Amino acid sequence: MRNLHLWHRWLGIGFGLLVLLWFISGVVMMFVAYPQLSQEERIPQLQAVDLQLVRITPDEAAVTLQAKPEKIRLNMQQGRPIYHFLHEGSWHSVWADSGAPLMVTQELVPALANAFLPNASIRDIELLKRDQWSISSALHPHRPLYRVAFDNADNTELYLSSHTGEVVLDTHGAERAWNWLGSVIHWIYFTPLRADYPKAWRQAIMWLSFPAVIMSLFGIWLGIDRLRLRRRYKGGRITPYKGWAKWHHISGMLAGVFCLTWLLSGWLSVKPFDLVSGRSLSPEETQAWQGKRTPINELRLPANWQPQEKIGEIEWVDFAGKSYLLAQAEHGNRLFDAATGNHIPSLDIEQLSLQAKQLQPGTNLQSATLLEQGDIYYYGKRLERVSPVVRIDFNDARKTSYYIDPGSSRIVASQDSNSRTYRWLFAALHRLDFAPFDNRELPRWILVIVLSIGGTILTAAGMVMGWRRLTRA
């Protein structure tokens, strides 16, 4: 027990401040997310696509790419239709009325930025590869980025793609300030480490959190050993300690288990030693779902097509060997037949099930279920997930499931036995994402805040004790 006490003390001195900051930053993150531009923010800012102005086909516009791009989008820019092609990991843009490639220059950027944020004065424009808020790998196809700083009350900064001229990220002064106390500290999200050395960043998270797990485990062991509920200490006390040591002991008994599970699940979040992880679609699965891709020279907009609502963007998608138009409207996605322009409210379960068999050849499809509100593995407003979805389950060794949006034809999530284990070890333990708190924000927030206060008292008391020990030494 003496050795455990020494290990706990010195691990606490070494990692106590970091654990304290994790508790505080975790609470901040519940209310202020890391900066991003959601579709709900982006689409309403787009001008309605004017199909009458489109003069050339995607095939004619993509002639310089010499291959079919992975994605094709159509929207408006400066009152003109424009194609955006994702090819070999980078976006390329061509005007849909002339076929000329778009050249995004610094002189053009103010007009593009003011189209997104009208009547705001621009303070500064900078071309950069990345900064603290634009680390996300989702922005790689758009780099370098133009950062446009506005002289407005919100201290807004927009990030524009140097390839497409589109706004791909927005941040505000208060959001950035809170994130220094939230996501940046919690994830150790410092630009040079996270962006330039991602493997080193992952190792840093692993080897900073694991000793903290051991520290917490030893603390619980010691706390239980020193706790007396029956044969109490002198004066009827359940703890032999006084002052800060008493606060540390009692708060450890009340919040120590949650401290341990939070630290353990945080350690598991970086998937140490590939023990458990989430699941994503493989390229083979994506190809099997799309089926035979429609040749680019056959991609057209339907003749005399007139959608009944404002469409901010159109994307060509393949499903089961057939081409569709996925339109981004203000109130969600709309799927249209690429040949006729007819609106397809929802693909039926039979269609989806038939194509899903291609995802797991040689394996029996066990069931196909329409989920109006998702299930325990797929739900949550926090994750911006669509509903309803169709869940298709297979009877393979890993019990693979696919969640499909029948309104867009897209596979929006996938689970197997490994990722389900990860869901419970990370989401359940780290976010308290389990019944009765799953998808109920207010009760979960209250519980997390209360427990975080307990964890803050626990670590703060430990730090005071550690400081006193060091100053005595």
Side-chain angles (χ1 to χ4, degrees):
M1 297 302 293
R2 173 63 179 168
N3 288 334
L4 282 182
H5 184 82
L6 290 173
W7 273 103
H8 180 66
R9 172 194 294 169
W10 291 106
L11 285 171
I13 290 173
F15 296 93
L17 177 60
L18 182 61
V19 175
L20 175 64
L21 291 174
W22 276 337
F23 277 118
I24 296 171
S25 59
V27 172
V28 173
M29 288 174 62
M30 290 195 302
F31 302 98
V32 184
Y34 198 72
Q36 63 175 336
L37 181 67
S38 67
Q39 288 292 82
E40 287 76 9
E41 295 173 299
R42 173 178 171 265
I43 296 301
Q45 300 298 324
L46 297 178
Q47 180 184 347
V49 176
D50 189 340
L51 301 175
Q52 303 302 315
L53 298 180
V54 178
R55 299 283 183 260
I56 63 174
T57 66
D59 184 34
E60 293 168 334
V63 65
T64 59
L65 300 181
Q66 299 180 344
K68 181 178 179 180
E70 293 87 50
K71 289 185 179 180
I72 305 175
R73 297 183 290 117
L74 172 68
N75 57 30
M76 300 290 287
Q77 199 170 102
Q78 297 181 292
R80 299 172 62 188
I82 188 168
Y83 289 111
H84 305 293
F85 302 101
L86 181 63
H87 179 58
E88 295 183 347
S90 182
W91 284 103
H92 307 263
S93 297
V94 178
W95 294 110
D97 55 2
S98 68
L102 171 68
M103 302 297 293
V104 182
T105 63
Q106 188 154 327
E107 291 71 26
L108 179 62
V109 168
L112 298 175
N114 281 132
F116 190 92
L117 191 63
N119 305 317
S121 175
I122 294 175
R123 184 177 69 250
D124 183 52
I125 298 176
E126 179 185 5
L127 181 65
L128 49 80
K129 184 176 181 181
R130 63 172 61 86
D131 66 3
Q132 181 64 52
W133 314 114
S134 57
I135 299 174
S136 172
S137 60
L139 299 177
H140 288 349
H142 295 282
R143 300 188 197 279
L145 306 171
Y146 283 100
R147 181 176 63 194
V148 182
F150 288 85
D151 191 14
N152 61 354
D154 292 333
N155 197 13
T156 305
E157 293 183 356
L158 299 180
Y159 294 74
L160 278 69
S161 168
S162 63
H163 298 259
T164 69
E166 299 171 292
V167 175
V168 293
L169 175 66
D170 67 336
T171 72
H172 307 284
E175 180 183 44
R176 295 191 296 272
W178 278 110
N179 263 276
W180 283 109
L181 188 59
S183 301
V184 175
I185 288 178
H186 202 80
W187 294 334
I188 313 180
Y189 237 27
F190 300 104
T191 306
L193 179 63
R194 180 65 182 90
D196 298 329
Y197 304 99
K199 292 183 179 179
W201 169 79
R202 179 171 173 267
Q203 292 296 319
I205 298 293
M206 283 175 56
W207 297 111
L208 286 174
S209 55
F210 187 71
V213 172
I214 301 302
M215 173 193 69
S216 182
L217 181 62
F218 287 173
I220 292 173
W221 192 340
L222 289 167
I224 293 173
D225 179 69
R226 300 296 171 88
L227 190 69
R228 290 189 183 177
L229 298 177
R230 292 185 178 180
R231 299 176 57 191
R232 300 195 174 192
Y233 295 98
K234 185 178 179 179
R237 293 181 291 116
I238 62 175
T239 174
Y241 304 112
K242 297 180 180 180
W244 285 105
K246 176 182 176 181
W247 280 103
H248 187 66
H249 188 199
I250 298 302
S251 60
M253 289 296 90
L254 295 174
V257 171
F258 295 98
C259 180
L260 174 63
T261 57
W262 279 334
L263 291 169
L264 176 62
S265 56
W267 177 65
L268 290 172
S269 70
V270 292
K271 308 169 184 63
F273 314 114
D274 296 322
L275 296 175
V276 290
S277 64
R279 188 181 193 278
S280 56
L281 293 182
S282 68
E284 291 76 19
E285 287 175 308
T286 300
Q287 182 58 51
W289 183 249
Q290 292 176 341
K292 183 181 178 182
R293 299 190 67 189
T294 305
I296 191 170
N297 59 4
E298 296 181 11
L299 297 181
R300 296 287 189 278
L301 290 169
N304 302 316
W305 184 39
Q306 294 293 333
Q308 299 302 307
E309 61 181 317
K310 174 189 172 183
I311 300 298
E313 184 170 270
I314 298 168
E315 180 179 347
W316 279 262
V317 297
D318 288 312
F319 166 66
K322 184 178 178 179
S323 180
Y324 294 87
L325 298 174
L326 182 60
Q328 301 280 353
E330 285 193 58
H331 303 293
N333 295 330
R334 302 288 185 268
L335 196 65
F336 295 88
D337 188 295
T340 65
N342 293 333
H343 178 219
I344 303 171
S346 179
L347 297 170
D348 60 54
I349 292 182
E350 288 73 18
Q351 284 179 281
L352 299 174
S353 299
L354 183 63
Q355 188 62 18
K357 292 179 181 179
Q358 310 303 316
L359 296 168
Q360 295 285 333
T363 304
N364 292 329
L365 191 153
Q366 188 173 8
S367 63
T369 310
L370 179 66
L371 304 175
E372 293 290 345
Q373 300 297 328
D375 61 14
I376 195 64
Y377 298 104
Y378 178 88
Y379 67 93
K381 182 179 179 181
R382 297 187 310 279
L383 303 179
E384 295 184 350
R385 298 199 163 175
V386 297
S387 61
V389 293
V390 173
R391 187 188 68 206
I392 296 182
D393 303 312
F394 284 88
N395 194 26
D396 60 319
R398 284 182 169 263
K399 301 296 180 182
T400 306
S401 298
Y402 299 91
Y403 295 81
I404 303 162
D405 175 12
S408 70
S409 81
R410 285 178 166 165
I411 299 176
V412 292
S414 177
Q415 296 281 356
D416 60 17
S417 54
N418 186 279
S419 63
R420 292 187 190 98
T421 300
Y422 179 73
R423 179 257 185 272
W424 289 107
L425 291 177
F426 175 66
L429 295 181
H430 206 69
R431 300 172 178 160
L432 301 188
D433 200 354
F434 52 81
F437 306 107
D438 47 342
N439 212 26
R440 292 174 177 85
E441 295 292 351
L442 184 58
R444 191 180 67 87
W445 285 351
I446 293 172
L447 180 61
V448 170
I449 290 171
V450 169
L451 293 173
S452 295
I453 291 173
T456 300
I457 295 172
L458 169 66
T459 50
M463 287 177 60
V464 172
M465 295 163 56
W467 175 252
R468 290 177 175 177
R469 179 67 181 81
L470 286 175
T471 54
R472 282 204 311 268

